[in-house]
Amino acid sequence: MAGGCWLLLLLALGRAAPPAGMLYPRETPSRERKELGGLWSFRADFSPGRDAGFVQRWYRQPLRQTGPVIDMPVPASFNDITQDPSLENYIGWVWYEKEVLLPLRWLQEDFNTRVVLRFGSAHYYSIVWVNGVQVMEHEGGHLPFEADISSIVQSSPGTPCRITVALNNTLTPYTLPPGTIQYMNDKTKYPKNYFVQNIRFDFFNYAGIHRPVVLYTTPSVYIDDITVTTTSSDNVAMVQYQVSVVGSTLYSLSLSLRDQEGKVVATGDGPAGVLKVLNPNLWWPYLMHENPGYRYSLEVKMQAQVNGALLEDLYTLPVGIRTVHVTSTQFLINGKPFYFHGVNKHEDADIRGKGFDWPVVMKDFNLLRWLGANSFRTSHYPYAEEIMDLCDAYGIVVIDECPGVGIKIPESFGNKSLQHHLVVMEELIRRDKNRPSVVMWSVANEPASELPPAAYYFKTLIAHTKALDPSRPVTFVTDVNYALDLGAPYVDVICVNSYFSWYHDPGHLEVIPLQLTTQFENWHKTYQKPIIQSEYGADSIPGLHSDPPLMFSEEYQKALLREYHSVFDKKRKEYVIGELIWNFADFMTNQGTTRVLGNKKGIFTRQRQPKSAAFVLRERYWKIANESSCLPPIIKSHTLFLK
Ligand code: GCB
């Protein structure tokens, strides 16, 4: 296996603060978009130091000229695509390349068209070259990054544009998520230079170009960012906006807000202001209103004079009008109590790993609505923007979690890690700040928040998150005892995970009522904050049956859920504001003695077929929706909502 220079290279690479805007690349009359999905050339660098690509500068010529390449689909994880076990478990640099021909109209050297190369995400550390020129670096596997490549592509119109990506999936104590590389030096047991990647989180560290890659254009003076926040009371809503323009200081901006019938309901101008909407259609969660997910369209038009020419940029942002408030016992959306009856998910499926895939995405949304789930947490990293768009459109409420998972060793609580974590929150909020579906940020999952440095770490991280977005509550998800947790004082909502009668007292379902009740009472007594049961569940192997219920059978999973539910039903009358099952579907993990081809706590299989527990949850979620809704009885008309 490999030596350590590739790891040193990774650690030495710098990390720039995120630039201002990261608007989703939409086609508009002033913007075009070209998808770069499909087959890319690919090579994993198996050289002993994993550094041959840099030593031999593979980016300077077509990849096929420096060695063998294979076809690799994008988007997809590379791990499960071939029959090669060494690629499945590969750690280090892999190389991707795509040649694209651009429309000539993008390439006129009048400097009025800006061409941008954008990656929805690539895991974990990316360096990108265009025609051999480095255009960007990005750290982090779950958020978008982009670069203006106009000057490079416009200097050679008519020739294919060669995009080369070097990608490294190595995790260190300072990455998010963190990991460590362990060298096995006992020569009697391991080959020379043998190492493993250790991680302290429970999902497979899939890698590759995971989300869509696009080229898009804007005029050279362009709308760089839009920020919208909304308030409403007594049949009037206020939409506060801020627009930033890059490329010139001499521009004008006009804005119109249209309803779904296309009627203009408010107009504004200038880079900041307030739009007043009378009798607004509010954005409501799924199952809380007969027309959930209502969004207006905010049309932003920028005009600028550049060298005698009029440049115009248009961008349309969907805007949902809704408010979020937290009290000591409730979570209010538009002033009404909201109960999270939902799931935790993963971006995970056969073959494609964590690669974005429309059929899987649509199947998951159809299953969520079939289940009567009104919410999910993006455990344990931000999900694709296309998924978030559907949450906005369907009214699925989201707790938006950053990749702060597996933060367990003291080294990962130091300043270097904290600084990176702050940047990741900036990138996440920059991407998702305008989404009505996002009602809360989660800065981490199950960190070792009992360790002394955790107090300063979470105080700083949560304060920073609130400063970036004062409009949403902030949490992190804990499994630490209420009396020991040093981060909990800073959260708005307590999110707690527990696995009674699974990891604790395995097989003893009878302990759940007492242990769960005690858990809730201790937390609420200590903090007087509302509580979400952010994980609970049991593994089950589909088709494995046992009565009386024994662990790993479908019956045990159902019985465990029911024990939890009886406590939830008491406590949701007080201060428990949600329950999120672990997990929506079975998912792949590292191999280990407690994992059978992955984690089997799904209520659906990895292929999205229901286990018995799915029906238990479906009945429960529709019942809760029916009780708390002001709608006519909807339990009998599931299909009404399956639009
Ligand atoms: C947890 C973790 C989650 C695991 C789950 C389990 O507490 O947050 O990532 O997959 O338990 O099944 O062990």
Side-chain angles (χ1 to χ4, degrees):
M1 282 254 193
C5 12
W6 52 275
L7 178 61
L8 292 178
L9 174 62
L10 182 76
L11 292 173
L13 289 166
R15 180 72 181 79
M22 189 54 76
L23 290 175
Y24 187 72
R26 293 180 199 286
E27 280 176 321
T28 74
S30 61
R31 295 172 174 228
E32 293 184 62
R33 169 178 161 135
K34 189 177 169 65
E35 307 283 337
L36 302 187
L39 294 181
W40 289 48
S41 297
F42 176 92
R43 182 188 307 141
D45 185 346
F46 280 105
S47 65
R50 299 286 201 259
D51 58 353
F54 292 96
V55 173
Q56 296 165 16
R57 301 186 192 176
W58 290 350
Y59 49 87
R60 297 235 290 208
Q61 54 200 305
L63 203 53
R64 61 183 177 278
Q65 292 177 4
T66 51
V69 291
I70 60 170
D71 287 333
M72 185 57 72
V74 169
S77 301
F78 60 73
N79 310 75
D80 292 353
I81 299 294
T82 74
Q83 299 308 100
D84 182 354
S86 60
L87 192 57
E88 167 94 39
N89 297 306
Y90 179 85
I91 301 160
W93 292 99
V94 298
W95 292 72
Y96 282 81
E97 180 197 78
K98 178 104 178 153
E99 288 190 332
V100 224
L101 269 174
L102 305 188
L104 266 180
R105 65 178 180 282
W106 289 18
L107 304 175
Q108 314 302 236
E109 234 186 298
D110 57 5
F111 303 111
N112 282 341
T113 302
R114 187 173 151 261
V115 182
V116 182
L117 172 60
R118 187 188 202 265
F119 291 77
S121 79
H123 190 75
Y124 174 82
Y125 197 103
S126 312
I127 307 177
V128 183
W129 295 261
V130 172
N131 295 344
V133 180
Q134 187 179 321
V135 294
M136 58 183 144
E137 281 178 35
H138 183 257
E139 177 175 355
H142 309 91
L143 287 163
F145 51 99
E146 64 178 30
D148 178 343
I149 60 164
S150 322
S151 61
I152 298 169
V153 291
Q154 285 166 350
S155 63
S156 50
T159 52
C161 146
R162 182 165 40 83
I163 301 166
T164 316
V165 183
L167 198 60
N168 195 321
N169 60 353
T170 309
L171 301 177
T172 75
Y174 318 108
T175 57
L176 271 192
T180 48
I181 295 289
Q182 185 182 5
Y183 285 90
M184 305 300 210
N185 295 326
D186 183 342
K187 292 197 181 73
T188 65
K189 288 186 173 168
Y190 303 100
K192 197 163 170 247
N193 290 333
Y194 190 86
F195 69 91
V196 289
Q197 166 87 76
N198 292 321
I199 50 175
R200 299 281 297 270
F201 54 87
D202 182 39
F203 53 91
F204 192 80
N205 188 34
Y206 278 112
I209 301 179
H210 279 158
R211 296 188 190 148
V213 186
V214 298
L215 282 166
Y216 72 94
T217 64
T218 72
S220 57
V221 182
Y222 60 97
I223 299 163
D224 179 55
D225 200 11
I226 307 171
T227 308
V228 163
T229 50
T230 61
T231 53
S232 76
S233 65
D234 299 336
N235 294 331
V236 184
M238 299 294 182
V239 178
Q240 274 104 356
Y241 66 85
Q242 264 188 304
V243 181
S244 65
V245 170
V246 170
S248 171
T249 48
L250 298 172
Y251 59 84
S252 65
L253 278 167
S254 56
L255 297 90
S256 334
L257 190 70
R258 284 184 197 276
D259 66 17
Q260 285 187 354
E261 274 68 56
K263 196 173 122 222
V264 174
V265 296
T267 58
D269 53 37
V274 180
L275 306 174
K276 189 169 163 184
V277 186
L278 296 177
N279 299 319
N281 285 305
L282 299 182
W283 185 95
W284 286 102
Y286 177 55
L287 298 176
M288 216 170 160
H289 192 269
E290 59 202 355
N291 190 9
Y294 191 97
R295 288 162 312 148
Y296 292 84
S297 296
L298 181 63
E299 294 174 358
V300 183
K301 180 163 154 186
M302 185 282 315
Q303 290 188 315
Q305 289 285 341
V306 176
N307 301 328
L310 176 73
L311 287 192
E312 197 169 88
D313 191 18
L314 298 151
Y315 192 88
T316 302
L317 181 77
V319 170
I321 298 176
R322 60 110 187 87
T323 59
V324 171
H325 290 109
V326 176
T327 73
S328 59
T329 56
Q330 286 184 317
F331 196 95
L332 304 170
I333 297 184
N334 299 329
K336 296 220 167 110
F338 178 76
Y339 186 76
F340 295 78
H341 44 91
V343 305
N344 292 277
K345 289 185 92 265
H346 263 300
E347 289 182 319
D348 175 273
D350 284 336
I351 301 170
R352 47 202 59 64
K354 291 199 175 303
F356 178 83
D357 182 64
W358 276 117
V360 173
V361 169
M362 264 336 295
K363 182 72 179 174
D364 282 6
F365 274 97
N366 288 331
L367 288 175
L368 283 173
R369 292 182 295 180
W370 173 89
L371 199 62
N374 62 2
S375 52
F376 66 76
R377 170 166 69 118
T378 68
S379 45
H380 294 308
Y381 38 79
Y383 293 176
E385 289 155 280
E386 293 78 2
I387 295 177
M388 303 302 283
D389 280 347
L390 290 177
C391 291
D392 288 340
Y394 298 156
I396 301 290
V397 168
V398 178
I399 301 172
D400 205 353
E401 187 158 282
C402 89
V405 57
I407 307 177
K408 299 287 190 190
I409 58 173
E411 217 179 337
S412 298
F413 284 94
N415 202 35
K416 187 171 175 176
S417 297
L418 178 58
Q419 290 313 315
H420 177 54
H421 209 146
L422 300 181
V423 172
V424 172
M425 287 314 298
E426 284 165 25
E427 288 187 23
L428 175 59
I429 292 172
R430 174 178 65 165
R431 192 193 77 160
D432 287 349
K433 63 187 169 188
N434 294 321
R435 298 189 174 283
S437 59
V438 174
V439 299
M440 181 153 65
W441 306 111
S442 164
V443 297
N445 177 69
E446 295 189 356
S449 45
E450 75 284 11
L451 295 179
Y456 176 76
Y457 192 96
F458 284 101
K459 185 176 180 199
T460 311
L461 182 59
I462 291 173
H464 186 68
T465 306
K466 283 174 175 281
L468 291 166
D469 178 12
S471 77
R472 289 180 178 87
V474 182
T475 191
F476 74 90
V477 171
T478 185
D479 64 342
V480 168
N481 179 281
Y482 77 99
L484 303 177
D485 195 303
L486 301 173
Y490 308 107
V491 302
D492 296 302
V493 171
I494 303 283
C495 285
V496 54
N497 295 348
S498 55
Y499 286 91
F500 304 129
S501 98
W502 190 260
Y503 293 121
H504 307 282
D505 302 298
H508 292 283
L509 293 166
E510 62 281 5
V511 304
I512 294 174
L514 179 61
Q515 295 191 1
L516 189 57
T517 305
T518 308
Q519 167 202 285
F520 286 140
E521 288 177 355
N522 283 336
W523 276 105
H524 198 256
K525 194 176 61 208
T526 311
Y527 287 108
Q528 292 88 48
K529 292 175 184 175
I531 304 174
I532 295 177
Q533 181 74 37
S534 39
E535 284 181 29
Y536 71 106
D539 290 72
S540 76
I541 308 296
L544 201 64
H545 294 289
S546 155
D547 186 19
L550 297 182
M551 289 177 79
F552 292 98
S553 67
E554 294 201 38
E555 285 73 18
Y556 192 89
Q557 188 183 32
K558 279 197 293 187
L560 183 143
L561 264 48
R562 287 197 170 112
E563 292 293 343
Y564 266 79
H565 295 164
S566 66
V567 181
F568 296 159
D569 282 340
K570 291 192 189 108
K571 293 297 174 188
R572 71 190 167 96
K573 298 194 186 100
E574 301 176 36
Y575 46 75
V576 169
I577 56 161
E579 54 187 88
L580 304 175
I581 183 79
W582 191 263
N583 189 287
F584 172 75
D586 293 346
F587 57 92
M588 193 46 73
T589 64
N590 270 357
Q591 297 181 68
T593 48
T594 58
R595 295 290 176 259
V596 190
L597 279 184
N599 185 309
K600 299 285 192 239
K601 293 193 187 68
I603 54 161
F604 297 102
T605 64
R606 201 183 191 206
Q607 295 71 35
R608 275 52 178 182
Q609 297 306 322
K611 301 181 192 171
S612 315
F615 296 94
V616 171
L617 218 59
R618 181 177 197 233
E619 207 178 308
R620 172 171 177 78
Y621 282 0
W622 280 98
K623 187 161 162 275
I624 296 175
N626 216 17
E627 278 166 13
S628 56
S629 172
C630 47
L631 297 173
I634 49 182
I635 190 130
K636 294 183 203 75
S637 55
H638 297 175
T639 48
L640 194 75
F641 292 89
L642 298 173
K643 58 178 175 181

